[in-house]
Each structure stands twice: as structure tokens, then as C-alpha cells.
Amino acid sequence: MKHGGPTEGGSPGSDSSHSLPDTLPRPSLRAENGSLVPLGRSVILRCQGGWEGEVYHLEKKLRSDRIIDVKSKEMEGEFPMPSVTAKDAGIYCCRYLHSSGWSECSDPLELVVTGVYDPPSLSALPNSSVASGHNVTLQCQSQQWYNRFALYKDGEQITQVGAQYHGRGSLANFSIPAVNSTHGGTYQCYSFYRRFPYQWSAPSNALVLRVTGTFSPSPESGNTQFDSAPQDYTVGNLIRLSLAGLVLLLLGVLLAEACITSRDH
């Protein structure tokens, strides 16, 4: 990424008398369209500092030099990255310059570059179609010896776990006990090395997990799946028929007693 030259007011933190973190609102930093960016794609980082900002500054953690400065009279500074590389992956924060000095840095933004390595494969054990209440395991597997795996559902990260190793590479098992309808969706996984935590593989194949029906605890039904709604209607009908039969029986008894009484008179 292009490095900016000196700006008026000095570099952030170069003079403590020009920094007023207690009085200037802290800016916020976000990545347009998400912080998971495929290799070679473009991304724009936006630093929002409110009306106080005159110059916006973006910096990367673990680097002593500044990344880039932009002047802006708007409420935010825009930092475009036309084509990200593996070296752009990492942790960023931003500041803005006010007439009084520099603000403190924003909360960190973790920019992850994907597609640095070949994708792993994702499968569901025993099957990607599972009855509610059953267990399922999503297995992310690669022929490479990765340290870490990350699981995503519908574009949102679920968890990260350490890798298990076998003769053909590495894998990770993501167990979901007693699935319900909220677990249904599209899953993908990524693999990466612990030493480079923000340089990930390309995403795995998309796996659609379908949660169907409910699990019957009855011994006779075994592992059969069924829709609970028809069963509820059947039970309701049986109850109503039983009540109707009981009413008819009671009416028959009363009618018989009435007939016997009329004959006696």
C-alpha cells in the first residue's frame, strides 16, 4: 500500500501535547463489503471521525511507518486498496487530525485476505440432511498441513479451531449436537497457518445443511423422520372423537332410563 508523506500537525503520537484522546471522540474503522477479501480484489477502508476530522490517517499494527494519510472535509476518510495482496492482511486502526491534535486510534480492524492457499473441502457426517434433534459433524479437510480452520455460516464466522493431523494432511471437526432449524444454512470453511493468522486459503465448497422434521423417541419408529404437524392433528382428532363417543354413550344411558321410567308408570 502507498505510504503517505508528512502532514501538518506532525505524525500521530509524535508529540503528546498535540494528542487529546480525552477530548476528541474516538473514530471508527470499517471495511466496505466486509473484512474478508479475496486475493487481488479491491476493498475500501473507511475511517469515520465526525465533523472534527481534517486529515485521516491509517496505520497497520506491528509497523513503525505510516501507511497513508488522506485529507477530507467530510465526516470520514476513505482508504482504497485496488488489489489486495497477502502483505495487506493484518490489523489496522485509524486516527484523525483536529486543529487541537490527533485523536486516539480506532478499535482494531482485522483484514483477512483469502485465496492465498488452495481451498479445503467440507463435508457433513453422516449426512447434510439431518433430522432435528440428531447430531451432525462438519468436517473441514485439506491435503496440506495447516494449523487452524475457520467455519462460516451464511457469510458469518462461527468459530475457529486447531487442526488434527493424519497421513494425508490436516482436518478439523465441527460438531453440532441436537441440531434444530437455526442450524440450517450454507457453510464454508477456511484453512490457514497460525504464524500468518490473516492469510487464509480460498473458501471450501459451499455445503447446505438441511434440518428436516423431528426425531421420534419411540422404539418402534427407530430413526424415522416425520413432520410433527400431522401428528398433532391426529392426536387432536382422536381426542375429539373420544369425547363425542362418551357424550353419545351418556345420552344413550339417559334415554334408556327414561324409557324404563315411562313403562313403570
Side-chain angles (χ1 to χ4, degrees), residues 22-230:
D22 294 332
T23 58
L24 294 177
R26 194 176 190 182
S28 61
L29 180 63
R30 64 183 177 88
E32 193 175 74
N33 299 325
S35 59
L36 210 65
V37 187
L39 190 69
R41 295 285 183 85
S42 63
V43 65
I44 297 176
L45 303 186
R46 298 186 180 276
C47 181
Q48 186 169 3
W51 60 269
E52 297 90 350
E54 297 174 358
V55 175
Y56 290 86
H57 164 78
L58 180 70
E59 61 188 60
K60 188 177 180 183
K61 192 175 180 181
L62 303 180
R63 292 183 58 157
S64 58
D65 55 340
R66 285 188 287 169
I67 302 300
I68 192 171
D69 289 340
V70 294
K71 290 186 177 182
S72 176
K73 294 298 182 183
E74 304 297 329
M75 293 185 66
E76 67 177 14
E78 184 178 286
F79 301 92
M81 298 183 184
S83 179
V84 299
T85 67
K87 291 183 178 180
D88 292 321
I91 303 175
Y92 291 83
C93 76
C94 70
R95 307 174 189 267
Y96 63 88
L97 178 66
H98 183 258
S99 57
S100 304
W102 288 96
S103 73
E104 65 176 321
C105 224
S106 66
D107 287 334
L109 170 72
E110 297 180 348
L111 187 69
V112 175
V113 177
T114 66
V116 180
Y117 315 111
D118 291 335
S121 62
L122 184 62
S123 58
L125 304 174
N127 199 284
S128 60
S129 182
V130 58
S132 179
H134 281 212
N135 303 334
V136 68
T137 297
L138 302 184
Q139 186 175 90
C140 189
Q141 187 169 0
S142 174
Q143 294 182 350
Q144 304 299 319
W145 298 78
Y146 294 110
N147 305 117
R148 303 283 295 175
F149 288 87
L151 182 67
Y152 274 66
K153 176 180 180 287
D154 298 330
E156 298 292 331
Q157 183 171 246
I158 303 299
T159 186
Q160 290 186 16
V161 298
Q164 303 174 33
Y165 301 104
H166 56 88
R168 296 182 302 277
S170 54
L171 63 83
N173 290 319
F174 301 93
S175 299
I176 308 176
V179 299
N180 56 53
S181 59
T182 63
H183 294 116
T186 302
Y187 290 82
Q188 286 182 294
C189 67
Y190 298 83
S191 49
F192 58 97
Y193 297 102
R194 187 177 290 108
R195 184 181 175 186
F196 305 104
Y198 305 109
Q199 299 178 14
W200 290 10
S201 70
S204 71
N205 54 295
L207 185 146
V208 179
L209 185 67
R210 295 182 176 87
V211 180
T212 59
T214 58
F215 173 63
S216 172
S218 170
E220 294 80 13
S221 60
N223 290 341
T224 58
Q225 301 176 16
F226 60 91
D227 188 349
S228 61

Side-chain angles (χ1 to χ4, degrees), residues 211-248:
V211 180
T212 59
T214 58
F215 173 63
S216 172
S218 170
E220 294 80 13
S221 60
N223 290 341
T224 58
Q225 301 176 16
F226 60 91
D227 188 349
S228 61
Q231 184 196 36
D232 292 340
Y233 285 126
T234 302
V235 172
N237 290 335
L238 287 174
I239 293 174
R240 284 190 287 271
L241 288 173
S242 298
L243 290 175
L246 187 60
V247 170
L248 289 174

